[in-house]
């Protein structure tokens, strides 16, 4: 059975046996500080299919480019460490993001070149004023940074100009009122030789996030089996798509 272990700001999940591939995951907003808990069911489902998972733990700030760079360096460093002991899974890693995590994956300094593709769950690219109204107001009052860098419009321009990965799967949920996948898809598909696509599933913005806490605390009787099945189907769809990108 797969087990989580922490290495600095990465949470590592190794499947039983030789891994079939590697997923590098960045979560969204307040969920991202403890991805091994917030996204346990989804990431466990990936490991159960034989994939190794590296999940970055961070606290979101205003400088999204700096955080994207930091995540990219940590993932790259961990891959290099695995390669030194002949434990790196074959093939380029799959990049997976949820909400803000999608933006950070898109801003990676290599433009997506060293990945097999990106799966973007519930892409969100709102301004600081909309995302954190109080902080934006305080920023204006006390003259500290009160907008994300890059801003929402700058992010899309940067994706259009610098993001080079053609293979992207955008997943949106039908009750997600803050999803912005459609706008991102338009930017991606305007690039030459783009192969991006979109899938819509039942659910809301938090559908990918589930730690199964009620089950862990109270037992199987307190769980919602339908939620577990939805998470497992999402995980299977992510990996089926990833394996087709060889």
């Amino acid at each position: 059975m797969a087990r989580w272990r922490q290495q600095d700001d990465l949470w590592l999940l190794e499947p039983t046996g030789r891994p079939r591939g590697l997923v590098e995951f960045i979560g969204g907003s307040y969920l991202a500080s403890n991805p091994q808990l917030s996204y346990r069911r989804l990431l466990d489902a990936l490991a159960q299919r034989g994939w190794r998972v590296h999940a970055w733990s961070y606290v979101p700030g205003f400088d999204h480019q700096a955080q994207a760079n930091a995540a990219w360096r940590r993932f790259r460093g961990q891959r290099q460490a695995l390669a030194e002991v002949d434990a790196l899974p074959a093939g380029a890693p799959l990049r997976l993001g949820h909400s803000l995590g999608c933006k950070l994956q898109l801003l990676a300094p290599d433009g997506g070149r060293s990945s097999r593709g990106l799966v973007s769950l519930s892409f969100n690219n709102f301004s600081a004023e909309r995302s954190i109204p109080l902080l934006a107001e305080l920023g204006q009052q006390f003259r500290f940074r009160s907008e994300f860098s890059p801003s929402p419009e700058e992010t899309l321009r940067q994706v259009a100009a610098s993001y080079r990965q053609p293979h992207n799967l955008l997943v949106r949920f039908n009750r997600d009122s803050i999803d912005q996948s459609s706008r991102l898809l338009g930017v991606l598909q305007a690039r030459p030789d783009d192969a991006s696509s979109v899938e819509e599933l039942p659910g809301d913005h938090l559908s990918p996030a589930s730690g199964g806490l009620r089950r862990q605390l109270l037992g199987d009787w307190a769980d919602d089996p339908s939620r577990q099945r939805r998470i497992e189907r999402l995980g299977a769809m992510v990996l089926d798509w990833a394996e087709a990108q060889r």
Side-chain angles (χ1 to χ4, degrees):
M1 184 177 180
R3 288 289 184 270
W4 284 101
R5 65 184 178 90
Q6 187 177 13
Q7 188 164 321
D8 298 321
D9 55 356
L10 285 183
W11 282 90
L12 313 177
L13 182 61
E14 301 179 36
T16 302
R18 184 76 177 181
R20 299 172 60 185
L22 171 63
V23 176
E24 295 178 338
F25 174 75
I26 305 179
S29 190
Y30 61 91
L31 299 168
S33 61
N34 290 286
Q36 82 288 359
L37 300 177
S38 303
Y39 297 94
R40 178 180 292 273
R41 280 181 162 167
L42 174 59
L43 302 181
D44 279 358
L46 303 181
Q48 288 166 12
R49 288 275 300 260
W51 283 62
R52 183 182 179 110
V53 176
H54 294 172
W56 187 50
S57 171
Y58 73 105
V59 176
F62 283 99
D63 193 338
H64 290 167
Q65 185 62 69
Q67 294 197 299
N69 296 347
W72 179 79
R73 287 193 298 268
R74 285 296 289 120
F75 287 139
R76 183 184 61 173
Q78 189 61 35
R79 291 199 306 273
Q80 291 172 342
L82 290 177
E84 290 175 0
V85 296
D86 193 30
L88 183 66
L94 172 71
R95 293 180 181 171
L96 176 64
H98 174 234
S99 192
L100 172 59
C102 307
K103 176 178 178 177
L104 299 186
Q105 296 280 29
L106 289 162
L107 293 175
D110 70 343
R113 292 178 183 86
S114 58
S115 69
R116 75 170 65 200
L118 167 67
V119 177
S120 165
L121 309 176
S122 303
F123 172 70
N124 182 279
N125 186 36
F126 284 126
S127 66
E129 183 177 357
R130 178 161 181 182
S131 300
I132 325 171
L134 178 59
L135 283 183
E137 182 178 333
L138 290 174
Q140 294 173 4
Q141 182 177 351
F142 295 105
R143 297 186 179 180
F144 65 81
R145 173 173 283 166
S146 61
E147 180 52 280
F148 298 137
S149 176
S151 69
E153 291 303 323
E154 290 168 342
T155 297
L156 295 177
R157 285 195 294 269
Q158 186 167 324
V159 169
S162 305
Y163 185 66
R164 294 291 179 260
Q165 173 57 253
H167 303 291
N168 304 279
L169 175 63
L170 279 54
V171 180
R172 62 189 177 202
F173 297 89
N174 63 356
R175 298 193 306 278
D176 186 348
S177 61
I178 59 173
D179 179 271
Q180 295 178 300
S181 297
S182 295
R183 191 165 186 202
L184 174 61
L185 184 66
V187 171
L188 293 171
Q189 291 184 333
R191 303 172 307 156
D193 303 317
D194 181 74
S196 300
S197 60
V198 64
E199 292 282 348
E200 183 169 291
L201 299 176
D204 56 30
H205 194 74
L206 295 180
S207 287
S210 174
L213 185 60
R214 288 174 59 86
R215 181 180 182 182
Q216 294 175 47
L217 294 177
L218 302 176
D220 290 347
W221 67 269
D223 197 20
D224 178 0
S226 64
R227 186 174 183 83
Q228 178 67 33
R229 289 193 296 271
R230 288 194 297 271
I231 291 284
E232 290 174 354
R233 285 196 294 269
L234 174 60
M237 184 186 74
V238 167
L239 294 186
D240 286 347
W241 181 85
E243 291 172 356
Q245 309 310 312
R246 293 184 183 277

